[in-house]
Amino acid sequence: MVTTMLAARVSLSPSRVGAVINRNVGALRSGPSYWLVLVSGFFEPLLYLLSIGIGVGALVGPITLPGGRVIEYAEFVAPAMLAVSAMSGALSETTFNFFFKMKYSKTFEAILATPVKPFEIALGELSWALVRSSVYTGAFLVVMVALGLTSPGWALAALPATLLVGLAFGGVGMAISTLMRGWQDFDMLTTGQFALFLFSGTFSPVQDYPPAMEVLVAATPLFHAVELVRGLAIGELGWSLLGNAAYLLAMGAAGLVFAARRIQRTLCV
Amino acid sequence: MIYARGLIKRFGDFTAVDGIDLDVAPGEAFGFLGPNGAGKSSTMRMISCVSMPTAGELRILGMDPVREGPRIRARLGVCPQLDNLDPDLNVRENLTTYARYFGLSKSEARSRAQNLLEFVQLQEKATSTVEPLSGGMKRRLTIARSLINNPDLVLLDEPTTGLDPQARHLLWERLFRLKQQGTTLVLTTHYMDEAEQLCDRLVVMDGGRIAAEGSPRSLIETHSTPEVVELRFTDEVDYTGKLEGIGRVDPLPDRILLYTDDGDAAVNEVHRRGLTPSSVLVRRSSLEDVFLQLTGRTLVD
Ligand SMILES: Nc1ncnc2c1ncn2[C@@H]1O[C@H](COP(=O)(O)OP(=O)(O)O)[C@@H](O)[C@H]1O
Ligand SMILES: [Mg+2]
C-alpha cells in the first residue's frame, strides 16, 4: 500500500503539466500589459551592459582572469548580465505572477479541483518561467554576438547554462512566493535581488573582494550562475563549472519540491 | 456515488464537520441544507477530493480519495462557493483551458466549450473577459466549466447565493435539465425553496452534524405539521398562553407561528377567542419550519 501511495504521488502526467503551461500561453494573449512587462524585463540588463559594461568599461580597461587570460571589461560584464536576465526572467514569472495565481485569482485552487496535482502545477509554472527566461537570454545572446562579446559557438554553449540559472531561480522564486504573506513582502525580495545583482562577481572579480566577503558571496546563487554562464560564454572552461551547475540544479529541485508541498499544504485544506 | 461514515473535518481544535454519514445514489439530486457555518462547504471540499478527511470513512465513485484523488476528480464537476474563474482568460478560454486539465484535446475542448456556452446561454459573451460579467453570468460560466469533463457527479456549493430572483430561476432551470439528463447532483444551499425545487433528498445540517434526513416532503411530514399560521400582533403582549391548545405555538421575535393540521380552523379559533392579530397568513409547511423545529433557529438571518 505504501508503494502505491508513493507511486500515486510520484507519477506525473506530461499532458497535465502541459495544460498548466497552456493556461499561461492563453493568459499571454489576453492583454498588452503583460507584453510591456516582458519587454521591460529584457531591456534592463541590456541597459546595464551598455552603460556599465561598455561605458564604465572604457575607464576600467581590460580585466585579467585568474587563469591569466586578459579580456575586455564588457566581455567580463556581459555574461553576468546574461545570468541576471535569466534570473529576473524566471523570478518575475514565479514571484509576482505565481503569487497572484496562488493567493488572489485562486487559479491554482480552480486547477486543484481537476486531476492536476500540486507538483504538476509547480512543474508547469517552472517550465513556463523557463520559457520566459530563455526568451530573455536568447535575445540577450544575440545582442552579445552582435556586439562581438562572445562567439556564436560559445553563445550556444551558454544557452543551456542560462536555462539552468532559470531553473534554479524559478524553483526558489516559487518557494518564496508560497511563503509570502502579502505584496509588502515583495519589497524584501526586490532588495535581496538587487543585492545579489551588485555583489555576485557581476561587475568585478570576486577575487577582488575582501576574503570574508568572498566566502559569503560564494554561498549565494547568483555567484554560481555568473561563474557558470561566464565560463561558457567566454570559453574559459574548468571543473569548477560542474560544481556551479550542481549548485543550481540542487537549488531548482529543492525549490520545486518545496513549492509543490506548500501548494498542497495551503490550498488542499 | 458517495459513501461516508463518521466523516470528520477539523481545523486545529475546531471541528467543522462532526461525524456525518452519507449515501448518495446515481441519478439522485442530493442537498445539504443548513445555515452559514454548518459545515456544508467543508463537506463538499472533502467530497471533491481537494481536502482530506481528518477521520472517518469516505468513498467517492467507489474509490478512496486519499489514494485515487486524480482519478476521482477526473469524473467530478466542481462549482465552488466562490467563483474562481481565470481573470486572465476570456469566457471561452476559461472553458477550453479547463478542459485541458482533464486531458481533453484542443478540438474536443473547443467543441465542448461551444456546447456548454449554449447550454448556459453565454454564446454572445464568448470573447469577453470574466471581470465585467454579472454575478449570475459568472455563476453560469462556473457551472459550465464544471461540466466540461462530462462528469458523473456534479458538486454545487451554494449555486445561487447572492443572485437576483431572475438569475436564480434561470440557473434552477439549467440544473433541472442536468438532473433530467441523469447527472447526479449534490448541492448545498441555505435557501429552502432551492432545496425543495431541486433536491430529491436532503440532509439538514447544523453545527457540523446532520440533524435530519429525507425527501423534502417526508422531512416536512415528520418534523412539521401540514399547515402553519403566521400571526402578527402590534402590541407587546405575550400571546403564548392565550393561543394554547390551538396548535403548537412557536413565538418568534416578529411573529407567532401556529403549527396545525388545518390552518383555517386554527384562524377561526383565534378569532373565537377574541384575539385580533394585525395580520394573519395561512401557508403550507416548508423546510424552513423543519429547520426551525430541529434547531430552534431560522435558516437565513
Ligand atoms: N480552512 C479553514 N480553517 C479554519 N476554519 C475553517 C476553515 N474552513 C472552514 N472553517 C470553519 O468551519 C466552519 C464551517 O465552515 P463551512 O464548511 O464553510 O460552512 P458552510 O459552508 O456551511 O457555511 C465555519 O465555522 C468556518 O469558520
Ligand atoms: Mg459554505
Side-chain angles (χ1 to χ4, degrees):
Chain A
M1 198 191 99
V2 175
T3 42
T4 44
M5 269 180 76
L6 213 62
R9 225 160 258 270
V10 176
S11 76
L12 285 176
S13 149
S15 92
R16 295 197 293 251
V17 176
V20 175
I21 300 171
N22 172 65
R23 181 257 162 221
N24 291 324
V25 177
L28 199 61
R29 286 195 299 264
S30 75
S33 58
Y34 194 95
W35 289 97
L36 207 70
V37 173
L38 203 74
V39 169
S40 69
F42 164 71
F43 275 107
E44 211 176 277
L46 185 64
L47 292 178
Y48 278 108
L49 172 64
L50 296 177
S51 66
I52 298 182
I54 297 176
V56 177
L59 307 172
V60 175
I63 289 234
T64 309
L65 299 176
R69 190 175 142 199
V70 176
I71 58 172
E72 287 301 320
Y73 185 66
E75 277 180 276
F76 177 82
V77 170
M81 293 306 105
L82 178 61
V84 164
S85 72
M87 168 179 83
S88 44
L91 274 185
S92 47
E93 200 56 54
T94 54
T95 54
F96 289 99
N97 292 352
F98 184 97
F99 182 75
F100 183 77
K101 286 178 269 190
M102 179 156 171
K103 293 270 165 75
Y104 284 89
S105 65
K106 310 238 177 273
T107 304
F108 293 168
E109 194 185 282
I111 297 177
L112 286 169
T114 74
V116 179
K117 296 181 238 176
F119 192 80
E120 290 164 340
I121 293 183
L123 198 56
E125 290 293 323
L126 183 57
S127 311
W128 176 244
L130 282 183
V131 171
R132 176 157 172 188
S133 167
S134 49
V135 168
Y136 284 1
T137 55
F140 201 88
L141 277 165
V142 170
V143 173
M144 279 173 66
V145 172
L147 293 176
L149 297 172
T150 185
S151 70
W154 288 121
L156 273 183
L159 192 61
T162 65
L163 277 177
L164 197 53
V165 176
L167 179 86
F169 282 96
V172 164
M174 290 194 298
I176 292 172
S177 294
T178 63
L179 295 171
M180 293 268 173
R181 291 154 302 175
W183 297 109
Q184 71 279 2
D185 286 350
F186 281 96
D187 288 341
M188 282 183 340
L189 182 73
T190 313
T191 309
Q193 206 179 326
F194 193 62
L196 289 184
F197 171 70
L198 292 177
F199 298 106
S200 295
T202 26
F203 297 108
S204 60
V206 277
Q207 292 78 14
D208 294 358
Y209 294 164
M213 180 97 173
E214 195 183 326
V215 172
L216 191 70
V217 166
T220 61
L222 189 58
F223 165 77
H224 293 277
V226 169
E227 287 290 301
L228 179 65
V229 172
R230 182 180 282 145
L232 287 164
I234 64 175
E236 191 78 5
L237 303 183
W239 291 112
S240 65
L241 296 188
L242 287 179
N244 302 135
Y247 179 106
L248 295 171
L249 193 63
M251 173 172 155
L256 175 66
V257 170
F258 182 85
R261 285 181 63 118
R262 285 281 304 170
I263 293 174
Q264 168 104 40
R265 290 263 172 92
T266 41
L267 297 182
C268 300
V269 290
Chain B
M1 304 294 271
I2 304 175
Y3 168 90
R5 288 294 176 272
L7 193 61
I8 290 176
K9 183 71 191 185
R10 289 196 195 92
F11 300 105
D13 296 339
F14 181 78
T15 305
V17 179
D18 196 4
I20 63 172
D21 300 344
L22 299 168
D23 292 280
V24 177
E28 211 175 6
F30 183 86
F32 291 90
L33 177 69
N36 280 331
K40 304 184 297 296
S41 295
S42 305
T43 306
M44 289 294 256
R45 286 174 57 80
M46 286 191 279
I47 296 173
S48 59
C49 302
V50 174
S51 115
M52 291 301 140
T54 311
E57 223 184 314
L58 183 63
R59 288 276 175 289
I60 310 294
L61 306 168
M63 292 181 272
D64 175 3
V66 177
R67 282 186 296 156
E68 309 198 75
R71 271 184 65 193
I72 301 171
R73 290 197 298 271
R75 294 169 54 191
L76 300 183
V78 178
C79 175
Q81 182 170 353
L82 300 173
D83 290 324
N84 53 20
L85 296 164
D86 201 320
D88 295 333
L89 303 174
N90 70 26
V91 167
R92 185 193 303 282
E93 288 167 342
N94 257 281
L95 299 180
T96 51
T97 304
Y98 213 70
R100 304 298 293 273
Y101 299 136
F102 290 92
L104 297 173
S105 72
K106 213 170 188 164
S107 59
E108 183 67 21
R110 281 195 77 82
S111 82
R112 286 197 192 184
Q114 187 55 35
N115 289 339
L116 285 170
L117 283 178
E118 280 162 29
F119 180 67
V120 296
Q121 299 175 340
L122 284 173
Q123 310 93 297
E124 313 89 74
K125 298 283 175 189
T127 56
S128 159
T129 51
V130 169
E131 190 254 326
L133 299 184
S134 72
M137 288 178 179
K138 283 185 186 159
R139 215 61 190 136
R140 264 143 58 201
L141 181 56
T142 306
I143 288 174
R145 193 184 66 177
S146 76
L147 300 174
I148 198 82
N149 57 328
N150 283 336
D152 297 322
L153 173 60
V154 178
L155 306 169
L156 304 142
D157 197 353
E158 303 203 9
T160 68
T161 297
L163 302 187
D164 59 61
Q166 205 187 345
R168 292 180 71 199
H169 281 281
L170 178 58
L171 259 176
W172 284 351
E173 194 260 324
R174 295 291 114 172
L175 293 177
F176 194 75
R177 276 214 211 172
L178 268 185
K179 185 177 146 180
Q180 280 181 319
Q181 291 165 12
T183 310
T184 310
L185 298 181
V186 173
L187 59 99
T188 77
T189 182
H190 55 236
Y191 298 122
M192 51 127 185
D193 49 349
E194 184 157 276
E196 277 170 40
Q197 285 263 342
L198 293 174
C199 299
D200 302 322
R201 204 158 58 84
L202 54 93
V203 291
V204 176
M205 220 177 159
D206 188 41
R209 291 169 196 262
I210 290 178
E213 179 188 340
S215 67
R217 173 179 289 256
S218 76
L219 281 170
I220 292 168
E221 279 169 7
T222 316
H223 299 280
S224 187
T225 51
E227 299 196 322
V228 183
V229 181
E230 297 199 7
L231 304 171
R232 287 172 204 267
F233 293 93
T234 38
D235 49 13
E236 298 288 312
V237 181
D238 180 8
Y239 284 93
T240 321
K242 295 181 175 148
L243 292 167
E244 208 179 282
I246 303 181
R248 217 181 43 68
V249 183
D250 199 346
L252 296 182
D254 59 336
R255 60 196 195 275
I256 297 175
L257 302 184
L258 276 179
Y259 288 94
T260 169
D261 291 339
D262 184 343
D264 291 332
V267 174
N268 287 339
E269 177 63 17
V270 169
H271 287 134
R272 203 190 58 75
R273 291 187 185 182
L275 305 175
T276 52
S278 61
S279 81
V280 177
L281 172 73
V282 179
R283 59 168 175 82
R284 292 163 60 92
S285 249
S286 71
L287 287 172
E288 180 81 46
D289 301 303
V290 172
F291 189 79
L292 196 63
Q293 296 293 306
L294 290 168
T295 68
R297 288 179 292 114
T298 49
L299 260 173
V300 188
D301 30 27

